[in-house]
Amino acid sequence: MNNQTIETIRAHGSCRRYRDDPVPDEYIETIVDAGQRSSTSSNLQAYSVVAVTDATRRKTLGSLCGEQEHVFTAPVFLAWCADLSRLDAVCATQGMEQSSSYVENFLVAAMDAAIAAQNAAIAAESLGLGICYIGAIRNNPREVITLLGLPRLVFPVTGMTIGWPLTKPRVRPRIGRKAILHRETYDSDQDEELFAYDRIMQDTGIYSGRQILSSGQAVQDDGYGWLKHSARRVAEPTRAFLRDVLKEQGFLLQ
Ligand SMILES: Cc1cc2nc3c(=O)[nH]c(=O)nc-3n(C[C@H](O)[C@H](O)[C@H](O)COP(=O)(O)O)c2cc1C
């Protein structure tokens, strides 16, 4: 089946090369409005987004997000934030106090932010813009929090670059549906799909020159595909400091 919306979704590829042209404010507002149309837990709308277009601030963000070239070159950076701060204010109007100290509270806010971000991403792509999520916003969260002036109970979940694509981003193959779509109960028998996907990804050449460093040395490996790349990616702890930062921001995760 197909229609224009599904066509837009199917054409997605993360965009990492942008033209210099600015993105008019009207576009940013339309994109964020589309994000706001997303479903949101209990209509709490427990998220905010900080749009950064100022060149100096974008440059600092680029440095804080692992020196990724596309963060420097994209004219717009959206910082999607879990936000329970607004609900503190809501409770204050009612002479009440928010209970925000549980994992559930952070999960609700983080999901709201992610769902809104993805609706916004589709809206941006439907307008001919390119986007790339930037999880590296969590590389130096304390500095990002200071740079963006995020108050207590606001945490940057993901960044997103937006701009006019210099070249059409490639569409990456995905794991076969059989490993993702389970019928009635979960089926752990997924090896066939995973190995088939590994071969498909090797053939795309996406990983050539992108081997993850192992013990400080570049891995030269002809059989390097999605399996090795992903295993190496998840074998090491990532951003193990995040629980501390979340606590500092008021998310106690009890
Ligand atoms: C939450 C999240 C964080 C991401 N962080 C980064 C990032 O920091 N830098 C980057 O270049 N791509 C980032 N990506 C993009 C993924 O690498 C990309 O979506 C994935 O490889 C699949 O490729 P595709 O989006 O082109 O289909 C991120 C994606 C998501 C969903």
Side-chain angles (χ1 to χ4, degrees):
M1 283 170 65
N2 208 356
N3 63 29
Q4 222 177 328
T5 307
I6 292 172
E7 196 63 46
T8 301
I9 291 169
R10 280 196 179 130
H12 163 76
S14 291
C15 178
R16 298 185 176 88
R17 302 189 67 210
Y18 297 99
R19 299 200 321 248
D20 281 343
D21 313 55
V23 175
D25 223 37
E26 191 193 349
Y27 279 74
I28 300 174
E29 288 173 3
T30 302
I31 289 163
V32 171
D33 285 354
Q36 279 201 263
R37 290 311 316 155
S38 306
S39 293
T40 146
S41 192
S42 305
N43 199 25
L44 291 176
Q45 304 168 66
Y47 65 95
S48 286
V49 54
V50 182
V52 179
T53 53
D54 175 74
T56 310
R57 196 171 278 110
R58 281 195 293 112
K59 193 158 180 263
T60 310
L61 271 171
S63 305
L64 294 175
C65 295
E67 307 278 339
Q68 297 186 65
E69 190 57 25
H70 42 296
V71 180
F72 290 120
T73 55
V76 181
F77 186 96
L78 297 184
W80 293 95
C81 302
D83 184 352
L84 296 178
S85 149
R86 191 183 302 117
L87 291 169
D88 256 5
V90 169
C91 282
T93 70
Q94 303 302 307
M96 297 170 81
E97 216 172 286
Q98 182 179 193
S99 159
S100 58
S101 59
Y102 297 96
V103 169
E104 169 68 7
N105 305 107
F106 177 66
L107 202 54
V108 160
M111 281 180 61
D112 268 11
I115 293 166
Q118 182 54 21
N119 244 20
I122 292 170
E125 290 177 335
S126 78
L127 294 167
L129 289 156
I131 70 104
C132 187
Y133 279 90
I134 303 296
I137 198 172
R138 303 186 302 274
N139 283 7
N140 297 284
R142 291 185 181 93
E143 290 79 356
V144 170
I145 285 165
T146 302
L147 182 73
L148 304 181
L150 305 182
R152 185 181 166 273
L153 290 178
V154 179
F155 183 82
V157 175
T158 184
M160 182 185 281
T161 54
I162 302 188
W164 303 105
L166 193 61
T167 49
K168 199 173 170 333
R170 85 190 286 172
V171 175
R172 280 174 186 237
R174 292 291 195 253
I175 301 173
R177 184 196 299 125
K178 208 163 154 280
I180 301 284
L181 173 61
H182 304 254
R183 303 281 185 180
E184 312 304 335
T185 57
Y186 190 91
D187 180 4
S188 297
D189 180 14
Q190 304 178 5
D191 279 6
E192 201 179 310
E193 291 298 332
L194 299 187
F195 281 96
Y197 183 58
D198 191 53
R199 282 190 296 277
I200 291 169
M201 287 300 278
Q202 281 187 42
D203 290 347
T204 63
I206 280 170
Y207 294 118
S208 56
R210 286 201 53 217
Q211 277 87 340
I212 284 184
L213 299 184
S214 168
S215 320
Q217 290 192 325
V219 177
Q220 293 301 330
D221 188 341
D222 287 344
Y224 193 96
W226 184 80
L227 289 173
K228 255 180 207 164
H229 188 78
S230 303
R232 291 207 170 117
R233 168 75 179 73
V234 299
E236 299 289 330
T238 316
R239 301 173 188 134
F241 47 80
L242 281 184
R243 182 192 284 263
D244 291 340
V245 185
L246 281 165
K247 281 188 179 160
E248 288 161 27
Q249 274 304 92
F251 295 95
L252 301 183
L253 305 180
Q254 288 171 346

